[in-house]
Amino acid sequence: MGGGAEFILAINLLVAGLLAAAFMTISFNDVARGPARWLVFGYLLGMAYFAIEFSIPIFDNARPAVVAGFAVFLGATIAFNGGLAHKYGVAPRWAPMLVFLFVATVAVYFVQDLPRQSLARMMAYQLPYAAMQFVGIGIVWSSRQRRDWLDHALMAVLTASALQFVSKPFIAHAMGGWGVNPQAYLQSNYALVSQSLGTVFGLTIALLILVILVRDVLAEATSKSETDTLSRLLNRGGFERHAELAMRDAVRKGIPVALVIADLDHFKSINDSFGHASGDRVIEAFAGFLRDAAADHHVAGRIGGEEFAIILPGTNLAAARLFAEGTRSAFGALPIDCLPADHRCTASFGVAELHPAEGFSDLLRRADEALYQAKGSGRDCVRISIGSIAARQTAVANAGPKISGRG
C-alpha cells in the first residue's frame, strides 16, 4: 500500500505543477489576471507541500517538517481563497485568515506531543483545512455577481471537500491509524485513501475554477466584440443577437415587447460645422441617455453611425412611446460640450410593438418605417407603427398635429 500512496503523492506533485502552469497562462488575460495569479501561488505552495511530504521519512525528528507541511498546505488554501475573492469581487479577509494560519500552525506544533492516534491530534491537523474550504464557499455565496450552474457546482464540490477533511480522522481510525510515526505515514493504508481523496477533490476544484475563469475570459471577449467603442452600447451585431434573445424570452413569458429606434437629426451638419470630435461628443451624450434610461432587462445599441435602438421587454406601445418622448425631450434640452451654449441637438424616434407571429426582422422594419415617418414629419418627434399597411396609411393621412417636436 505504501508504494501506492507514494505514487499518488508524486501524481499530486505533478498535477499541482501543471495546474500552476495552466493558471499562469490564464493570468495573461486582463479579466483573469488577479484571480489566476493567486491561484498560481496557491498551487506552487501545493507543490511545496507535496515535496515536504516526500521528505519527511528522511528526518529523525519529523516535527518541523510535519508542521511546515501543514502550514504550507493551509497557506495554499488561503491563497486559493484569495483567488476566489478576486474572481467573485469580494474583499479578501487577509488578516483573519493569516491569524488563523498562525494559530492553527502553533496548535499543530503542540499537538504533536499527544498520542499519534489521538483524535484531537488528527482533528487539529484536518479541521483547519475544512475551515478554509468553508471560507471559500462563503466567498462565492456572498458575491453579488450573477452565478450560474458552474458557480453552484464549485460551492457543492468545496462543501464535499470540506466534509472529507472533517471525515479523515474517522477514516484513519477505522483503517488502523495513519502510521506509527510521521515517517511511516506513506506506508499506511490510510495514506493511500487520503492521498486519493485529495487528488479527486483537488483536481475537481481546480478544473471547475479553471473552466469558470475561461468562461469569464470568453464572455469578456464576446462582450468586446459586440460593444461599440464610442457609445459603449452594443454594436449592430451585438444588439440584434441580444434583442432577439430578449424578444423570445418576452414571447415565452407572454409579456409585450416594444422596439424604439432613434436617429440624431442633422448629424452631418454637426460634423461639418463643429468637427468630428463634437459629433462624437453628441453620440456619447445620447448613448448616456439611453444607458441611464434603460433598465437591466432592456437592450440598447448603436446600430448605425448616428442611429440607435433599444428593445423594451414588458413594455407595450403606449409605454414605449412615453419612453421615446421622455428621451427626446430631455436630449433636446441638453447642452453638449464642444458645441455653442445656445446650440441644441435633437433626435427622431420610431416605435413599434411586437405583434403575434411576428419576427424580430419584422419588428425592426416597422420601427424603422415609423422613424422614416418622423424624419419626414420635420424631425425631433416620435412616430409609432400601428401595424397593418392599411392602418398605417390611414394614420399617416390623418396624422394631424405631430406628437411633439418642432418639425
Side-chain angles (χ1 to χ4, degrees), residues 142-178:
S142 63
S143 172
R144 295 186 178 182
Q145 297 176 7
R146 188 170 64 88
R147 296 186 295 269
D148 65 12
W149 69 271
L150 279 172
D151 306 294
H152 290 286
L154 177 62
M155 287 191 289
V157 175
L158 285 171
T159 301
S161 179
L163 294 177
Q164 64 100 14
F165 282 120
V166 173
S167 70
K168 278 187 174 183
F170 303 101
I171 295 174
H173 180 74
M175 300 189 70
W178 52 343

Side-chain angles (χ1 to χ4, degrees), residues 9 28 72 86 123 136 155 166 229 236 251 255 262 303 312 320 331-332 335 362 376:
L9 189 62
F28 295 143
V72 168
H86 280 277
M123 283 293 188
M155 287 191 289
V166 173
T229 305
R236 187 178 187 95
V251 170
I255 60 175
I303 60 175
L312 309 169
F331 182 67
D362 300 315

Side-chain angles (χ1 to χ4, degrees), residues 265-282 336-346:
D265 297 328
H266 305 295
F267 185 73
K268 186 177 183 300
S269 66
I270 295 174
N271 281 333
D272 293 343
S273 301
F274 305 106
H276 288 281
S278 297
D280 289 348
R281 184 67 189 92
V282 173
I336 307 291
D337 294 344
C338 302
L339 295 182
D342 61 344
H343 188 94
R344 293 295 182 268
C345 298
T346 62

Side-chain angles (χ1 to χ4, degrees), residues 52-106:
I52 293 171
E53 285 280 293
F54 263 127
S55 72
I56 286 176
I58 70 175
F59 294 103
D60 292 330
N61 177 15
R63 176 182 286 201
V66 169
V67 175
F70 168 83
V72 168
F73 192 72
L74 189 60
T77 65
I78 291 173
F80 181 85
N81 286 343
L84 285 183
H86 280 277
K87 157 66 191 84
Y88 288 98
V90 177
R93 305 291 297 274
W94 293 119
M97 288 193 292
L98 292 176
V99 169
F100 182 79
L101 171 63
F102 175 78
V103 171
T105 302
V106 171

Side-chain angles (χ1 to χ4, degrees), residues 4-287:
E6 291 173 350
F7 178 69
I8 293 175
L9 189 62
I11 291 176
N12 287 340
L13 179 62
L14 176 62
V15 168
L18 292 174
L19 289 171
F23 285 116
M24 178 64 76
T25 302
I26 292 292
S27 73
F28 295 143
N29 185 280
D30 288 341
V31 176
R33 180 167 296 163
R37 287 180 174 177
W38 279 107
L39 293 168
V40 169
F41 181 53
Y43 283 99
L44 289 176
L45 288 177
M47 292 180 67
Y49 163 75
F50 294 126
I52 293 171
E53 285 280 293
F54 263 127
S55 72
I56 286 176
I58 70 175
F59 294 103
D60 292 330
N61 177 15
R63 176 182 286 201
V66 169
V67 175
F70 168 83
V72 168
F73 192 72
L74 189 60
T77 65
I78 291 173
F80 181 85
N81 286 343
L84 285 183
H86 280 277
K87 157 66 191 84
Y88 288 98
V90 177
R93 305 291 297 274
W94 293 119
M97 288 193 292
L98 292 176
V99 169
F100 182 79
L101 171 63
F102 175 78
V103 171
T105 302
V106 171
V108 165
Y109 179 85
F110 284 108
V111 298
Q112 300 300 306
D113 293 325
L114 295 176
R116 172 75 175 165
Q117 308 307 329
S118 165
L119 184 62
R121 178 172 174 167
M122 288 187 279
M123 283 293 188
Y125 197 89
Q126 298 293 342
L127 290 186
Y129 300 145
M132 284 299 101
Q133 300 276 256
F134 283 121
V135 169
I137 297 165
I139 289 171
V140 181
W141 180 259
S142 63
S143 172
R144 295 186 178 182
Q145 297 176 7
R146 188 170 64 88
R147 296 186 295 269
D148 65 12
W149 69 271
L150 279 172
D151 306 294
H152 290 286
L154 177 62
M155 287 191 289
V157 175
L158 285 171
T159 301
S161 179
L163 294 177
Q164 64 100 14
F165 282 120
V166 173
S167 70
K168 278 187 174 183
F170 303 101
I171 295 174
H173 180 74
M175 300 189 70
W178 52 343
V180 295
N181 54 46
Q183 293 87 342
Y185 163 71
L186 289 178
Q187 307 305 315
S188 67
N189 293 335
Y190 166 72
L192 179 61
V193 173
S194 178
Q195 293 298 326
S196 298
L197 285 173
T199 300
V200 171
F201 283 105
L203 190 56
T204 303
I205 291 170
L207 290 178
L208 269 173
I209 193 65
L210 187 62
V211 170
I212 287 170
L213 290 180
V214 170
R215 175 202 65 186
D216 292 350
V217 169
L218 293 177
E220 178 70 11
T222 300
S223 175
K224 286 182 178 179
S225 70
E226 293 181 341
T227 301
D228 173 65
T229 305
L230 178 60
S231 67
R232 291 184 287 125
L233 299 175
L234 291 169
N235 57 29
R236 187 178 187 95
F239 173 78
E240 290 182 351
R241 187 176 78 84
H242 287 276
E244 286 200 54
L245 291 174
M247 187 189 76
R248 291 173 188 171
D249 188 56
V251 170
R252 180 178 56 82
K253 293 177 179 177
I255 60 175
V257 59
L259 175 65
V260 176
I261 296 182
D263 190 90
L264 301 178
D265 297 328
H266 305 295
F267 185 73
K268 186 177 183 300
S269 66
I270 295 174
N271 281 333
D272 293 343
S273 301
F274 305 106
H276 288 281
S278 297
D280 289 348
R281 184 67 189 92
V282 173
I283 288 175
E284 291 172 344
F286 188 78

Side-chain angles (χ1 to χ4, degrees), residues 293-339:
D296 290 341
H297 60 289
H298 295 162
V299 178
R302 180 187 178 196
I303 60 175
E306 62 269 21
E307 192 171 0
F308 299 80
I310 182 166
I311 195 157
L312 309 169
T315 306
N316 61 21
L317 186 63
R321 172 183 170 180
L322 289 175
F323 174 92
E325 286 285 3
T327 304
R328 183 202 64 79
S329 177
F331 182 67
L334 177 73
I336 307 291
D337 294 344
C338 302
L339 295 182

